[in-house]
Amino acid sequence: MVSAGEQTKWCSCCLAAGPSPVRPRETAPTSAYSSPARSLGDTGITPTPPHPPYLTNDTDSNVSEQQSFLVVVAVDFGTTSSGYAYSFTKEPECIHVMRRWEGGDPGVSNQKTPTTILLTPERKFHSFGYAARDFYHDLDPNEAKQWLYLEKFKMKLHTTGDLTMDTDLTAANGKKVKALEIFAYALQYFKEQALKELSDQAGSEFENSDVRWVITVPAIWKQPAKQFMRQAAYQAGLASPENSEQLIIALEPEAASIYCRKLRLHQMIELSSKAAVNGYSGSDTVGAGFTQAKEHIRRNRQSRTFLVENVIGEIWSELEEGDKYVVVDSGGGTVDLTVHQIRLPEGHLKELYKATGGPYGSLGVDYEFEKLLYKIFGEDFIEQFKIKRPAAWVDLMIAFESRKRAAAPDRTNPLNITLPFSFIDYYKKFRGHSVEHALRKSNVDFVKWSSQGMLRMSPDAMNALFKPTIDSIIEHLRDLFQKPEVSTVKFLFLVGGFAEAPLLQQAVQAAFGDQCRIIIPQDVGLTILKGAVLFGLDPTVIKVRRSPLTYGVGVLNRYVEGKHPPEKLLVKDGTRWCTDVFDKFISADQSVALGELVKRSYTPAKPSQLVIVINIYSSEHDNVSFITDPGVKKCGTLRLDLTGTSGTAVPARREIQTLMQFGDTEIKATAIDIATSKSVKVGIDFLNY
């Protein structure tokens, strides 16, 4: 496999890409054609010989000079709950978690706030988190139908295959609203909360320009979803395209991994039986050490400042150069798996296998509960109830959430879920008989009706709701452990909100406890948040990543008889060309170091051309020959803006050298006009292509 560095050496062919010359008055360029062959009307197609690396100190919007920020603020934008934390750059060992939120549910930690947002009937932002939920709950049922209440909307970015800036979300009342607006409102809320807290702490107004922002996203998110989150942050005023470096996108399991490096022995619970931590061994009840840890956290919750080691934590003292570990980030919407290798003495990290995972978060348990309600009361009623009584449906799911958290492998007493009065009343009107009658008729033995107006679920019934989601996680982990890169893993760190579930802990321990040591950090729901702050303080800590996909562009190569298919032959001015050749930038699962560049050179069709637009293609497969191969799809565009780069005399032949970086959390590009040594504005767009 060719590394990204090696790839730069053999870039000898390129497409004189782009549309016909664009006049300055025209507002937008015509996009490059999907097949280069079709652009031959007036394009000169000439291979550009490789140039020696040509770097300049000029900066532009894509490469801003290293700025100094007073504070790093990380926003963990979760599917079910969200929060922020910060650290002053002069005190990087102190991580401050946000102020406590007002509101909350009995028995549920409110260190973070629910990812819920409420808009007025006029579609203006009203409130976020507990405040949104409580206000919506208190509205008159008829009035509530006019308000737009949204929750768990982050999953839309993962599940939407054709995500655009115009993608819609559906509020609880069935009305549509632009997803970008909602994400921007949520981020703006966190920005205002954080700046207010920082200003109160500093005793003077804290400026946004003093803050480096970090937003967490799942590692399995594709480029469009990451770009969408960045655009929402720009709209919310966290940063701007001109100052893009003020915002960093952090990958959730990477953030967790960074924090786990710092763990002291008293900050973790070990589930496996190989060793005891906190005085608990694997032979004890799985949840016992965790319960003790949560009690310790509750006692210390008034102090929101966490001290982290400025060196590597004690767990790392057992790791040697080259040791491997897995981070399983199990959140509300997704489960993300990443495999890292330690590099000593600095403790830098290398990704060994591309991030994998899927929609196996705790929401899966909610969906199973919904399916159970369908079975008992009928899908037609439940769907109608959601629309007619949206606030009561929210209440019902809140009641389920607190009982869900009480599920445990060794539980023997039933779990009671309160049904809102409006559910009981509306069901009687809808069906003409009682909820109790529906339960008897449904033949669902493990759910009974309690005279106090509750559904009484046996522990086995609750555990059954967890089973499909947990089975998916275990199956995914088993597949991962089969990979040669993942053999001889020393530790498995279980992080994220869903990691608090004793049923998941027990399943992971039973499946993998004999292969590696299973560690859960204390205050596990804040692991990603704290790690994201550390990542913002030092974004270079992950030195090597793996590309999730194969990326490249379509080019023309000299036609070789016997090697190239006859249908790809194109003759232009007496020269035989092969069309649609996939010029690979980087392969799926290829190692790429931070800062490693893939270089390509492009020539405008005419010297006066002001814009080059090149289509980017991707595939999950490594072995790609043509952009027309099965599984290859257009995924974005590379746009080179040549305005202002030419000198007084435009050379007859211009060469634009493009440098692409695949080793960061987002794909980045810069470009140079070789003749003038001036920077060229570059845009990589995975959303609007």
Side-chain angles (χ1 to χ4, degrees), residues 306-427:
F306 295 85
L307 295 175
V308 292
E309 299 293 298
N310 57 7
V311 292
I312 289 170
E314 288 165 302
I315 193 94
W316 250 239
S317 62
E318 300 183 39
L319 285 172
E320 297 167 5
E321 176 77 31
D323 275 352
K324 308 168 189 175
Y325 63 95
V326 175
V327 176
V328 180
D329 169 24
S330 44
T334 56
V335 166
D336 253 352
L337 313 175
T338 192
V339 187
H340 279 160
Q341 188 174 44
I342 187 79
R343 287 175 157 190
L344 298 174
E346 299 91 353
H348 291 146
L349 303 175
K350 174 183 179 181
E351 190 177 27
L352 287 183
Y353 189 73
K354 66 181 179 182
T356 60
Y360 318 131
S362 60
L363 279 187
V365 185
D366 298 357
Y367 295 144
E368 290 301 315
F369 177 60
E370 213 171 303
K371 278 158 64 178
L372 179 64
L373 294 178
Y374 284 172
K375 194 172 178 183
I376 298 169
F377 303 109
E379 185 174 349
D380 56 342
F381 166 73
I382 294 296
E383 291 306 314
Q384 193 67 14
F385 179 72
K386 282 185 195 175
I387 293 164
K388 297 290 186 186
R389 302 283 188 274
W393 173 255
V394 170
D395 280 353
L396 174 55
M397 293 312 289
I398 290 167
F400 173 69
E401 178 66 27
S402 70
R403 303 326 295 142
K404 181 172 89 174
R405 288 169 181 259
D410 51 355
R411 188 182 178 98
T412 52
N413 52 324
L415 296 122
N416 294 323
I417 298 158
T418 305
L419 284 181
F421 172 74
S422 62
F423 184 99
I424 299 165
D425 182 55
Y426 191 68
Y427 184 79

Side-chain angles (χ1 to χ4, degrees), residues 613-633:
V613 179
I614 302 157
N615 291 330
I616 302 173
Y617 296 86
S618 68
S619 172
E620 292 181 1
H621 308 294
D622 175 21
N623 190 19
V624 180
S625 301
F626 298 98
I627 61 172
T628 52
D629 285 357
V632 178
K633 53 188 177 188

Side-chain angles (χ1 to χ4, degrees), residues 70-71 88 194-196 198-199 202 204-211:
L70 298 181
V71 67
F88 294 98
L195 288 177
K196 187 174 186 311
L198 289 166
S199 297
S204 60
E205 198 69 22
F206 220 90
E207 297 296 330
N208 187 63
S209 56
D210 295 329
V211 179

